[in-house]
Amino acid sequence: AEGEMAVPELLDSADAGRGSLDILCKKGIIEIYKRPVSRAENEFFEPDVPPEPTDEQKAVLEKIKGKTGRFLLRGVTGSGKTEVYLRIIGDTIESGRNAIMLVPEISLTPQTIRRFGARFGDMVSVLHSGLSVGERFDNWQKIRKGGVRVVVGARSAIFAPLDNIGAIIIDEQHDDSYVSEISPRYDAREVAFMRAKQHGALLLEASATPRVSDVYHCKNRLSMSKRYNSAPLPEVEIADMRKELEEGNSSVFSKKLACEISKNIENGEQTVLFINRRGHSSFISCRKCGYVFDCPNCSVSLKYHSNINKLICHYCGYQTVPSKICPKCGSAYVKYFGTGTQKVEEEIKNLFPSASVIRMDMDTTAKKSAHRRLLQKFSDENANILLGTQMVTKGLDFPNVTLVGVLAADMMLNSGEFDSEEKAFSMLTQVLGRAGRGENCGRAVIQTYSPENDCINFAKVQDYNDFYRQELALRKLSVYPPFCRIFTVLVTGGDNSAAGIRINEIKDELKGTDGILEIMRPVPCVVSRVNNVYRWQMLIKASADIRPALWKVCDRHNSKKRDTHISIF
């Protein structure tokens, strides 16, 4: 009666086993055969009506119309950069060419797909790691066969088999997630530059906080300094957590932030809370002897996750049940230290029992399509609070979000990397920009133990220009990018001593290489052991591209099949 039906669907609807089907097939009553079936997600989007562009949008579009090569757009949060992307891609399609749109996080893909699907319909295809292998294969085949005009996705989408590319756009170009830290190692921004060059296409990189080195080197710079609806940037207040402690407030929330959250709940407005750490507690320690519950495979402490009552290593995945007794001294003085998203969620429920909370971190978004479902729930149900890690700092656009709280700004500072201030400034500026994107004015509270920090104060007023000038001066003084190139040599192995010896051998071999300004002393990585593999690194400052010399040394050492492996990035 059905004519044709998928075997699993037929067996399920008939409540029958495969044996019955095989008997019918042997009797010639039915035929079982295979044919390709697309697993790609096909979602219908109501077509949108393009809004009238602002004067700033018109100016940007006019400057890049018909142009090729690399352009860098700095636009404040909420300035309407997405509409610029849509119009560029619309013009590209009209000219008979195709486009690639990159976003840094899978969490941004649902909103981006919704916007692009409403504008371009079924001409859009998606590529990102959140899809199943089958779905990625189907989308890849559809793109390869020419059934797609626009590819949207995270960093791997830059390799989409799209022909006749006329435009490549990289949103939030400052984001580290464009760099693959596993094999194959690549920077999607560099791949985008090469693909644009090969196709004679436009490459537009955009961000509210573009990378300092890119601003310095890029000649074609564009800017958008006003929000799309002429709304003011959020009013930001810095909460000094030192004073909070002096006044006896031991809560995760300062009095100011707690008060503002209460106001938002009463007014039916939404709040975004950001803390750059998942889990419940940073570590568990014995207060009597100082013993810390560490991972047996990695040189890091285990993090406590209250929802499953387990200690977990965020590097190798090792899990164990927490003990109430110290394994070293046998005392019961075991305490949980630090704060993560789960602990904050618990405190929200204690302080604001009527509030609806959506937590967004690696634990809650592990399942397929979890990003989309959580964001949809936050939007559709008008949940009071969206709590999360870096996932909530980028690109999210909810008109009813009027308050942003940064719970521990100090976590982002002083990481030991030369660009730690730049990363902290970017993250703060991005998350503060989630507030006040609708009709109501936005507010924000930054909680910190370092209220005098320049980076925090620049982010408070979203003053990129002054931050850029100060950061550039400091880097020039210390000879860091953009005034040099930095390369990292990473040596890994099962034996710590062997890895240390190997990296020092490499250092000696590289001495005197043309273009090298300084070879820094080899040191163990910040996390020196991951899954029982020891890690040593060495930074090299250079005035030129020394990768050929580095690859030569790397290949020579790796070809000897020793108990170490060398990587260069």
Side-chain angles (χ1 to χ4, degrees):
E2 293 291 333
E4 178 184 82
M5 200 170 187
V7 167
E9 187 181 345
L10 173 59
L11 295 178
D12 184 60
S13 60
D15 194 21
R18 181 63 187 247
S20 302
L21 204 62
D22 291 338
I23 292 171
L24 291 173
C25 189
K26 286 179 182 178
K27 292 182 176 181
I29 297 171
I30 64 165
E31 178 188 0
I32 299 175
Y33 59 94
K34 294 180 180 181
R35 69 170 176 81
V37 177
S38 177
R39 288 149 293 200
E41 295 181 350
N42 294 314
E43 190 174 350
F44 174 76
F45 297 98
E46 195 70 40
D48 74 343
V49 178
E52 184 66 26
T54 65
D55 291 340
E56 284 192 326
Q57 289 171 337
K58 287 177 182 176
V60 168
L61 291 166
E62 190 61 36
K63 287 178 182 177
I64 61 179
K65 189 173 183 179
K67 300 286 180 62
T68 62
R70 183 185 181 215
F71 286 78
L72 183 62
L73 169 61
R74 183 173 68 83
V76 298
T77 53
S79 58
K81 295 188 288 294
T82 303
E83 182 59 31
V84 171
Y85 309 155
L86 289 165
R87 288 181 175 271
I88 289 171
I89 291 174
D91 290 343
T92 302
I93 291 172
E94 283 185 15
S95 68
R97 306 189 73 186
N98 304 316
I100 296 176
M101 173 77 212
L102 298 184
V103 293
E105 291 272 4
I106 298 173
S107 60
L108 297 184
T109 311
Q111 283 198 329
T112 307
I113 288 295
R114 198 154 43 245
R115 295 283 299 273
F116 278 66
R119 189 69 59 92
F120 305 118
D122 58 5
M123 290 189 287
V124 180
S125 189
V126 190
L127 286 175
H128 59 73
S129 59
L131 302 175
S132 69
V133 174
E135 287 169 340
R136 270 183 278 176
F137 173 80
D138 290 338
N139 280 335
W140 187 273
Q141 291 288 68
K142 186 178 177 182
I143 296 165
R144 189 176 65 83
K145 292 175 181 177
V148 169
R149 304 297 302 279
V150 184
V151 175
V152 177
R155 67 174 178 242
S156 61
I158 192 59
F159 296 109
L162 197 64
D163 291 326
N164 194 21
I165 299 172
I168 300 176
I169 299 172
I170 305 177
D171 189 29
E172 312 289 8
Q173 69 90 229
H174 66 277
D175 202 278
D176 283 344
S177 62
Y178 284 120
V179 179
S180 170
E181 295 182 350
I182 59 175
S183 183
R185 295 178 184 273
Y186 67 94
D187 187 331
R189 291 162 295 210
E190 291 185 7
V191 179
F193 178 78
M194 288 304 299
R195 291 206 74 181
K197 190 175 180 180
Q198 290 169 345
H199 287 262
L202 167 74
L203 171 62
L204 178 66
E205 299 182 38
S207 172
T209 55
R211 295 191 298 178
V212 168
S213 295
D214 291 336
V215 175
Y216 182 81
H217 287 301
C218 187
K219 296 177 181 178
N220 301 319
R221 297 199 292 265
L222 309 165
S223 67
M224 292 165 60
S225 58
K226 298 176 183 177
R227 282 194 155 185
Y228 178 76
N229 55 4
S230 298
L233 292 168
E235 294 182 5
V236 183
E237 184 171 327
I238 297 175
D240 188 344
M241 298 305 286
R242 297 172 302 186
K243 292 182 179 179
E244 296 284 332
L245 282 177
E246 290 172 3
E247 294 171 1
N249 180 18
S250 58
S251 170
V252 172
F253 300 103
S254 63
K255 292 176 182 176
K256 176 64 178 176
L257 181 54
C259 178
E260 294 297 328
I261 293 172
S262 292
K263 287 181 185 176
N264 260 30
I265 294 172
E266 290 174 11
N267 297 333
E269 296 174 0
Q270 293 175 294
T271 300
V272 169
L273 297 178
F274 165 59
I275 182 167
N276 200 25
R277 180 178 288 142
R278 66 187 174 108
H280 182 280
S281 301
S282 304
F283 62 96
I284 300 181
S285 176
C286 174
R287 288 177 291 170
K288 185 176 181 180
C289 70
Y291 174 83
V292 175
F293 288 73
D294 287 332
C295 174
N297 309 316
C298 310
S299 58
V300 294
S301 60
L302 295 167
K303 315 300 179 188
Y304 177 59
H305 288 244
S306 60
N307 61 325
I308 55 174
N309 190 36
K310 284 189 177 181
L311 293 171
I312 299 178
C313 175
H314 288 178
Y315 285 84
C316 72
Y318 171 83
Q319 297 185 17
T320 187
V321 177
S323 171
K324 295 181 180 179
I325 303 299
C326 175
K328 184 177 180 182
C329 70
S331 78
Y333 297 104
V334 174
K335 186 178 179 182
Y336 297 77
F337 293 88
T339 302
T341 48
Q342 289 181 10
K343 191 172 183 179
V344 174
E345 184 179 24
E346 287 179 8
E347 188 143 355
I348 291 171
K349 290 175 180 177
N350 289 332
L351 291 175
F352 314 103
S354 65
S356 52
V357 185
I358 292 176
R359 176 164 59 88
M360 199 167 176
D361 54 27
M362 287 290 288
D363 299 314
T364 62
T365 59
K367 293 182 179 179
K368 179 178 168 57
S369 302
H371 293 90
R372 179 179 56 79
R373 288 195 300 270
L374 290 173
L375 293 175
Q376 195 69 45
K377 185 177 180 182
F378 183 66
S379 175
D380 293 348
E381 298 180 11
N382 199 36
N384 298 118
I385 298 171
L386 176 64
L387 164 68
T389 53
Q390 291 187 37
M391 298 176 188
V392 303
T393 68
K394 310 158 192 171
L396 303 182
D397 190 353
F398 295 103
N400 199 34
V401 171
T402 56
L403 174 65
V404 164
V406 180
L407 300 184
D410 306 274
M411 284 185 190
M412 296 174 278
L413 302 169
N414 307 315
S415 67
E417 299 177 356
F418 77 90
D419 57 354
S420 61
E421 297 276 304
E422 177 182 349
K423 290 177 180 177
F425 175 81
S426 293
M427 212 175 297
L428 285 171
T429 302
Q430 293 290 337
V431 72
L432 296 177
R434 301 311 109 204
R437 299 169 80 95
E439 296 179 358
N440 298 325
C441 294
R443 300 114 57 216
V445 178
I446 302 175
Q447 296 184 171
T448 177
Y449 290 92
S450 308
E452 67 285 342
N453 183 277
D454 286 341
C455 172
I456 291 174
N457 283 281
F458 284 137
K460 174 184 175 181
V461 293
Q462 297 205 19
D463 189 348
Y464 181 86
N465 290 328
D466 280 352
F467 169 79
Y468 172 78
R469 282 191 285 268
Q470 177 171 298
E471 185 71 6
L472 201 64
L474 290 172
R475 293 193 190 184
K476 187 173 185 179
L477 190 65
S478 305
V479 192
Y480 278 112
F483 303 101
C484 76
R485 294 184 179 214
I486 285 190
F487 300 90
T488 301
V489 177
L490 176 69
V491 175
T492 57
D495 182 86
N496 189 40
S497 177
I501 291 170
R502 189 74 62 245
I503 200 167
N504 278 286
E505 288 178 358
I506 294 170
K507 178 184 177 182
D508 293 338
E509 290 181 31
L510 289 172
K511 286 179 180 177
T513 301
D514 289 342
I516 290 181
L517 299 174
E518 180 184 0
I519 302 178
M520 300 184 187
R521 183 170 63 88
V523 293
C525 295
V526 175
V527 180
S528 60
R529 182 168 57 104
V530 174
N531 208 10
N532 288 320
V533 174
Y534 292 89
R535 306 161 76 237
W536 283 71
Q537 71 172 21
M538 175 174 67
L539 299 184
I540 301 171
K541 289 183 180 180
S543 59
D545 188 353
I546 59 168
R547 279 178 292 187
L550 295 177
W551 287 332
K552 190 175 180 181
V553 172
C554 177
D555 290 342
R556 185 164 62 249
H557 279 270
N558 285 334
S559 66
K560 294 178 181 179
K561 296 183 179 179
R562 292 168 167 168
D563 56 351
T564 55
H565 180 78
I566 295 89
S567 301
I568 294 169
F569 51 96

